[in-house]
Amino acid sequence: MVVSQFFSPLRQLKGKGGASRRRNSSSSSGSGESNEAWSSEAGDTRSTRAMVTGECFCCNSKVSYPEGVACFKCTVCDTINDLRVEERGSRVPPPLTLARLRAGVQAYRRHPEKHGLLEAMIRESFGQWEVLNFSFASGEEVTDEDPGVQFADVHAAYKIVMGLPTPFIRAMMSGIEQVLRRPGRPLARREDIRYLLIILENPLLQQQSFRQEASYHHHIVKRVAGSLAHLPNSVHESLVRWLAQQGRSGLKRKVQLVHQFIAYRVQKYERAKRRRNEGVSRGLPMTTYSAQSTQRELPAFQRTRSSTNAAAGRGRHTRMRSNTDSRISLSGPESSGGQRRRQEPGGSAFGGDVADARAGLGIANLRIGDTPARFASLGAGQFSEAQTQHQRRARSSSEAPARAARRAGGGVDVDDYFVGADGVFYPRGGRLALHQHDWRLLAAAKAMALLHAANQLQPARARLGVDAFGSAAVDGMDLVADYDAWQARVPGAFAFCGYPILLSLRAKAQIMQVDAARQMDTKLKEAVISALFRSGTRAQPHLKLLVRRHCLAADSLHQLAAHEQDLKKRLRIEFAGEEGVDGGGLTKEWFMLLTRELLNPAYGMFTQDEGRAHWFNPAALETGNQYFLVGVVVGLALYNSTILDLQLPLAVFKKLLRPGAYQSLGVCPQQGASQGLSQGLGQGSSQALALLTPSAQLRAQLSEMLGDVAQFRPQLARGLRQLLQYRGADVEHVFCLTFEAAYDAFGARVAVPLVPGGAHMAVTSHNRVEYVQRYLHWVLTDSVARQFEPFRRGFYYVCGSNALSLFAPEEIELLVHGSGRDWAASDLRAVTDHAGFDSPAGRQLCEWFWALVAEMTAAERRQLLMFVTGSDRMPTPSQLHQFRVKLVLLGNESARLPVAHTCFNQLGLWAYRTKDELGTKLMMAITESEGFG
């Protein structure tokens, strides 16, 4: 965030200041006290007291304030930060309990005329930290596992208050706003944040019946999210444990609340963006950043400046004085002398959202040091003047080469930037990303990361799905520009890609496709330039493979190895002896046939147990180069947005995206959660699991590893579970196991000791947990290290971009495999376009076709999809918007078989006379045809 040059020490002036104000009260022209007197006093204070910098606990902005003050007011979020705990002079009411609230309601019903007493009790209970933080206590000591709050009583209390008339609800909400604005102490301990948990349970926060209500509730949510997001890491750890105790339903409500807030913020920025674009299309100039606009729009200046002294930057109501008037020029010549500056034609390009946008961007605290170094000493007004003069000089021919040299050398030029209506420097030609400096969105993203970490601590069956954290509102934004800004790593800038849990699989796939298309275009340009300037060489614009069907695997792997430098070009496939132009269908068929051959047991590269997923063969004789090329094939499929018929288990993708994913406690060193829970990408579970006790970590890790192994070796997983669940003390005699692992090497059993001398160490009831740990670690890591490492290198050789880090392992699995679920005829019909079926006979033929599809078995439907599209799998739900099938009526030649164009996902039917004839021809086409020509 930015450094605030405004401070509000919130203290009473005494002595000379008070006398001076009394002497000058008659000359203040309508003000209750003299701004000059406050200016003199504040100036004396600043000359004798050093300025220090602190961070706001709500928005995390850096604020400068005099050393030694008890509190300061943030000018970005208007929150009062107490630097130490101050004793309240008045008597503190007792904590609120469910019984006390019910008694107050009963007294009100008996004496309605005394409603003020109940209103005061509700307002004081919810408006003071000393009361609310200790309300609804369970009587238990606050621990890492228990916040000491009786949430059943909290829910009952909210239900009671919501059943009361509106004034009582308003008293509760105003009290909540008051305590969030100023809790009265630093939030440094886990015991200090129980009031935030109570506020989070308020069901009113999710109500958005009308615009004003939604705005007010989101105003409260932003303060809750800000307070939670910027807590110390030690408090975050306790908070995540507490949230995990609330179960699936409690987490789901809070996730929905954060989603609502993010959608509200995104909609505001989208409206601001539309207004700006409309203003630009009408040729309206960008508005300037003036002192009068500051008075009108910025929350930090509301109710603090008098009309006669606004340009001078002197306040009186809260005794807040700006010390930036000499550093940043906020007003032009026309605003001097207390005269209102004339509004430029067209007004603000942001319309009514300027105040909100500026407050979110922290423009009240614009720090010139954040701009290019060349302009570090210039203010906004000075920058505009310097820009105009420089543009005049740049017209000369002598200046142009110098400007070009500066840009070529990595420097900046004044013409490359402009001052936006919000007072921020933006690059010309770039996109004005309003959300990138919004502390509210950053706080909401961090709060969502904390909820995601709490979800990881849930049992596997009770966890929310990966898609539960994706925001539909974020999907509608320009995520490609957001991805570019995230890659630029602008200090202090917020990007949704930094918190990929907020992105749906559809949004991530879109980003990956754009990133892949850019790399393909770059390779194409390099090939064209190489062909133009290098004589005697013939560069190929595409990665073109000519393969024979009877030697598909050998030809493919050989040519991929020969064109290793061209793997990021667009892929084109040609089958020898066939007349086919690859518009996408040949590529899909090549991927399908190649993966089938690679998985052929004759090659021995992969194993398959009980028809489950394939796993690397520990006894494989192939070299690492073969596995490298298999990794290249998987990477090419993902890079070219093609679904593979390659049943790899989730463990493969976990190992690809999370190095050391299966490091076992006590077996391999475990990486701790060194990074804050609200700061990371939010995709992994290692940080969340590190919050558990060692025994709980071990149970969670064993459960995860057993579930992953069950996908490709179900018998082994069942046996290890039975060993762990056995209650008897005679494990050694019942299971007869030693510390050895075994695998099949082409019919021979090979034993591998898990520890030195493992063949002579029996598994007992005392060491069986260690045995299961070591066995699972061997299966998932040690046994396939020789095969997996080259596979990983081949995969990243093609897909090694930042876009890959946005995905969770489950999402990459879906993109590679597609949706393995069965689909109905209605699912395919929903994504099918029809052409030529306008006549009654055509409509009848169309109905016959869909009736036949509905009557097919699951295997026959997969064959139909394979015949039409080149793949027997439906895309994932997030990719269905890009998937279309076309059904075409070709003509009256009913003796011919249906025709498919897999390049375009098109199926052509002839005008068959009966439904049986259509069914016979269709089944013959999908079961007995292959290839082109």
Side-chain angles (χ1 to χ4, degrees):
M1 301 296 289
V2 291
V3 177
S4 174
Q5 300 294 346
F6 306 102
F7 65 92
S8 177
L10 302 178
R11 55 188 177 83
Q12 297 292 333
L13 296 178
K14 298 181 181 180
K16 185 179 71 172
S20 177
R21 284 194 298 274
R22 289 192 294 272
R23 287 194 302 269
N24 293 279
S25 60
S26 60
S27 61
S28 59
S29 181
S31 61
E33 53 188 326
S34 172
N35 289 303
E36 286 76 6
W38 161 238
S39 175
S40 175
E41 174 64 17
D44 294 344
T45 301
R46 290 172 57 196
S47 63
T48 58
R49 304 180 69 175
M51 300 293 290
V52 295
T53 300
E55 294 180 351
C56 175
F57 75 87
C58 181
C59 66
N60 207 38
S61 298
K62 294 182 179 179
V63 183
S64 298
Y65 55 88
E67 185 179 11
V69 297
C71 58
F72 65 87
K73 183 177 182 180
C74 176
T75 57
V76 175
C77 64
D78 205 27
T79 300
I80 298 176
N81 292 252
D82 288 88
L83 302 176
R84 52 181 177 268
V85 179
E86 296 288 347
E87 295 294 334
R88 297 295 179 95
S90 59
R91 183 181 63 87
V92 178
L96 185 63
T97 62
L98 187 59
R100 182 165 174 255
L101 178 61
R102 286 173 174 168
V105 172
Q106 292 175 359
Y108 157 71
R109 298 192 188 281
R110 289 194 301 267
H111 304 282
E113 69 280 0
K114 298 183 179 180
H115 60 87
L117 296 177
L118 181 58
E119 286 185 34
M121 183 187 75
I122 294 176
R123 184 179 295 105
E124 288 178 350
S125 298
F126 285 92
Q128 297 186 36
W129 180 92
E130 293 84 353
V131 182
L132 185 59
N133 198 64
F134 299 97
S135 297
F136 310 107
S138 63
E140 301 293 336
E141 184 181 357
V142 178
T143 64
D144 287 337
E145 306 297 332
D146 184 11
V149 177
Q150 188 63 258
F151 287 103
D153 290 355
V154 174
H155 298 156
Y158 279 124
K159 186 175 182 180
I160 292 174
V161 175
M162 291 175 63
L164 296 173
T166 303
F168 299 99
I169 300 177
R170 187 179 297 116
M172 177 185 69
M173 299 303 291
S174 63
I176 290 176
E177 183 182 9
Q178 175 183 337
V179 73
L180 289 173
R181 189 182 297 272
R182 185 179 187 182
R185 65 196 58 239
L187 304 179
R189 304 177 305 159
R190 63 188 180 189
E191 293 83 358
D192 299 334
I193 65 169
R194 289 182 295 181
Y195 78 103
L196 294 174
L197 298 179
I198 296 175
I199 295 174
L200 268 179
E201 300 300 322
N202 190 344
L204 284 175
L205 297 180
Q206 290 186 313
Q207 291 189 8
Q208 302 183 31
S209 303
F210 48 92
R211 185 174 180 179
Q212 290 81 2
E213 180 185 50
S215 177
Y216 182 70
H217 290 169
H218 289 309
H219 173 74
I220 293 178
V221 172
K222 77 176 181 185
R223 295 190 177 278
V224 176
S227 301
L228 292 175
H230 304 119
L231 295 169
N233 287 339
S234 59
V235 181
H236 273 163
E237 294 176 0
S238 298
L239 175 64
V240 169
R241 295 189 184 99
W242 294 346
L243 293 173
Q245 298 297 324
Q246 299 186 11
R248 179 187 177 91
S249 59
L251 281 177
K252 188 174 182 179
R253 286 195 303 269
K254 294 172 179 60
V255 169
Q256 291 174 347
L257 179 63
V258 178
H259 277 321
Q260 287 182 353
F261 177 72
I262 292 175
Y264 174 78
R265 295 301 309 169
V266 169
Q267 290 170 5
K268 290 183 74 70
Y269 282 121
E270 289 299 318
R271 289 197 299 268
K273 183 178 179 179
R274 285 195 300 268
R275 293 191 181 104
R276 184 200 67 194
N277 293 337
E278 292 172 0
V280 172
S281 64
R282 294 196 301 266
L284 301 178
M286 300 289 283
T287 55
T288 56
Y289 188 69
S290 65
Q292 295 296 339
S293 65
T294 301
Q295 178 189 10
R296 183 177 63 256
E297 296 159 352
L298 291 181
F301 287 85
Q302 292 174 357
R303 305 177 304 278
T304 61
R305 291 176 178 248
S306 65
S307 59
T308 58
N309 295 286
R314 304 187 183 102
R316 63 179 182 86
H317 186 69
T318 58
R319 295 182 174 87
M320 181 177 68
R321 180 181 184 273
S322 166
N323 63 353
T324 60
D325 299 339
S326 61
R327 298 190 184 186
I328 303 179
S329 177
L330 297 179
S331 59
E334 297 182 15
S335 62
S336 61
Q339 299 179 1
R340 183 175 296 276
R341 181 168 181 161
R342 179 176 56 86
Q343 180 69 28
E344 292 189 8
S348 172
F350 291 93
D353 288 332
V354 177
D356 197 64
R358 283 190 182 166
L361 293 167
I363 304 307
N365 312 304
L366 178 64
R367 183 173 64 182
I368 299 300
D370 290 339
T371 60
R374 182 177 175 184
F375 316 126
S377 61
L378 300 181
Q382 296 169 312
F383 177 84
S384 299
E385 181 180 356
Q387 185 182 29
T388 302
Q389 295 175 359
H390 187 83
Q391 287 174 344
R392 222 177 275 123
R393 293 195 304 268
R395 296 189 183 100
S396 63
S397 58
S398 59
E399 182 70 12
R403 293 171 56 213
R406 280 195 297 271
R407 292 192 181 108
V412 296
D413 189 83
V414 70
D415 287 339
D416 295 334
Y417 295 85
F418 68 91
V419 182
D422 47 12
V424 173
F425 297 100
Y426 289 101
R428 290 190 178 276
R431 282 172 254 202
L432 188 63
L434 293 175
H435 69 276
Q436 290 184 1
H437 293 277
D438 187 353
W439 67 268
R440 303 171 185 84
L441 282 176
L442 177 60
K446 290 184 175 183
M448 188 68 83
L450 293 171
L451 293 172
H452 183 267
N455 185 61
Q456 295 298 319
L457 299 185
Q458 297 283 336
R461 294 182 179 180
R463 289 177 191 168
L464 298 174
V466 178
D467 56 344
F469 296 89
S471 173
V474 175
D475 289 354
M477 301 191 68
D478 188 354
L479 292 178
V480 176
D482 185 88
Y483 175 69
D484 294 337
W486 174 63
Q487 289 197 110
R489 299 293 193 271
V490 179
F494 167 75
F496 288 107
C497 290
Y499 294 84
I501 55 174
L502 297 175
L503 305 179
S504 67
L505 179 57
R506 174 179 176 178
K508 296 174 185 177
Q510 176 190 357
I511 293 173
M512 173 170 279
Q513 290 170 3
V514 171
D515 186 68
R518 287 176 176 177
Q519 296 183 52
M520 291 178 183
D521 291 340
T522 300
K523 289 295 182 180
L524 177 60
K525 294 176 182 178
E526 291 177 356
V528 173
I529 294 175
S530 176
L532 289 175
F533 295 98
R534 294 183 182 179
S535 59
T537 60
R538 183 180 178 183
Q540 290 289 341
H542 304 100
L543 173 57
K544 187 175 181 180
L545 304 181
L546 176 62
V547 296
R548 298 166 295 176
R549 286 188 178 272
H550 62 281
C551 300
L552 186 69
D555 288 354
S556 299
L557 298 181
H558 175 73
Q559 293 188 45
L560 287 174
H563 296 84
E564 188 173 323
Q565 301 300 322
D566 298 331
L567 293 178
K568 290 200 173 185
K569 295 181 179 179
R570 297 185 187 275
L571 183 61
R572 293 290 183 267
I573 299 298
E574 180 179 347
F575 287 99
E578 300 182 14
E579 297 180 0
V581 178
D582 190 7
L586 291 178
T587 299
K588 288 187 286 186
E589 185 182 11
W590 174 78
F591 272 118
M592 185 200 66
L593 297 176
L594 178 60
T595 52
R596 286 181 181 176
E597 286 207 28
L598 292 176
L599 297 177
N600 191 325
Y603 281 91
M605 297 180 67
F606 294 90
T607 61
Q608 189 178 27
D609 189 6
E610 296 184 6
R612 298 297 183 94
H614 295 83
W615 186 246
F616 301 94
N617 186 0
L621 302 177
E622 280 71 15
T623 63
N625 292 335
Q626 300 295 100
Y627 284 100
F628 176 85
L629 294 176
V630 174
V632 167
V633 171
V634 177
L636 280 174
L638 188 62
Y639 192 71
N640 290 272
S641 303
T642 302
I643 297 174
L644 283 181
D645 187 18
L646 180 64
Q647 294 301 307
L648 294 176
L650 180 61
V652 173
F653 302 100
K654 285 185 177 181
K655 289 169 67 66
L656 282 174
L657 298 183
R658 302 174 186 170
Y662 296 110
Q663 291 178 347
S664 300
L665 295 171
V667 177
C668 293
Q670 186 77 5
Q671 295 177 354
S674 60
Q675 192 179 28
L677 288 168
S678 65
Q679 303 294 331
L681 290 178
Q683 295 284 30
S685 59
S686 58
Q687 291 182 338
L689 293 179
L691 302 180
L692 299 174
T693 61
S695 59
Q697 287 186 51
L698 180 58
R699 288 194 301 270
Q701 189 180 55
L702 288 179
S703 177
E704 178 185 2
M705 296 171 74
L706 283 170
D708 293 342
V709 170
Q711 292 185 1
F712 58 92
R713 292 190 65 179
Q715 288 185 347
L716 174 63
R718 284 195 297 268
L720 294 178
R721 287 186 188 276
Q722 292 174 358
L723 174 62
L724 291 174
Q725 296 170 358
Y726 185 72
R727 299 298 182 185
D730 53 346
V731 172
E732 182 177 359
H733 303 289
V734 171
F735 290 90
C736 301
L737 295 173
T738 59
F739 270 72
E740 287 182 307
Y743 65 92
D744 181 78
F746 305 104
R749 184 180 182 275
V750 179
V752 179
L754 298 176
V755 295
H760 307 289
M761 182 183 297
V763 177
T764 66
S765 58
H766 300 290
N767 60 14
R768 59 181 172 179
V769 174
E770 181 187 356
Y771 169 77
V772 173
Q773 263 189 293
R774 293 186 179 276
Y775 204 123
L776 291 174
H777 184 268
W778 178 85
V779 170
L780 292 168
T781 304
D782 295 342
S783 65
V784 296
R786 181 176 61 87
Q787 294 84 1
F788 181 79
E789 181 57 29
F791 172 84
R792 185 191 65 82
R793 286 191 290 105
F795 178 82
Y796 274 99
Y797 192 87
V798 181
C799 293
S801 68
N802 291 331
L804 190 64
S805 64
L806 302 177
F807 293 86
E810 297 83 356
E811 294 170 330
I812 292 293
E813 182 185 27
L814 274 177
L815 290 180
V816 173
H817 294 168
S819 178
R821 65 178 180 87
D822 189 18
W823 52 272
S826 57
D827 298 330
L828 184 60
R829 190 169 187 173
V831 295
T832 301
D833 301 321
H834 301 78
F837 297 93
D838 299 328
S839 64
R843 288 193 292 270
Q844 181 64 56
L845 181 64
C846 184
E847 292 302 323
W848 286 345
F849 172 79
W850 289 114
L852 289 170
V853 175
E855 295 169 2
M856 290 180 178
T857 64
E860 290 172 342
R861 285 196 297 269
R862 290 171 69 92
Q863 286 180 315
L864 172 64
L865 193 63
M866 175 64 203
F867 177 70
V868 178
T869 67
S871 173
D872 62 352
R873 285 176 167 258
M874 285 282 280
T876 62
S878 63
Q879 295 174 305
L880 278 178
H881 69 288
Q882 299 176 334
F883 179 72
R884 302 298 300 179
V885 176
K886 191 171 184 178
L887 187 64
V888 181
L889 180 58
L890 299 177
N892 297 320
E893 301 179 30
S894 59
R896 301 180 61 177
L897 295 176
V899 179
H901 298 278
T902 57
C903 300
F904 311 105
N905 294 344
Q906 178 176 305
L907 175 63
L909 300 178
W910 303 98
Y912 301 108
R913 292 181 294 270
T914 64
K915 179 180 177 181
D916 292 339
E917 184 182 10
L918 171 61
T920 301
K921 300 288 187 181
L922 183 62
M923 291 304 299
M924 184 181 298
I926 66 177
T927 57
E928 299 183 14
S929 62
E930 182 178 25
F932 293 79

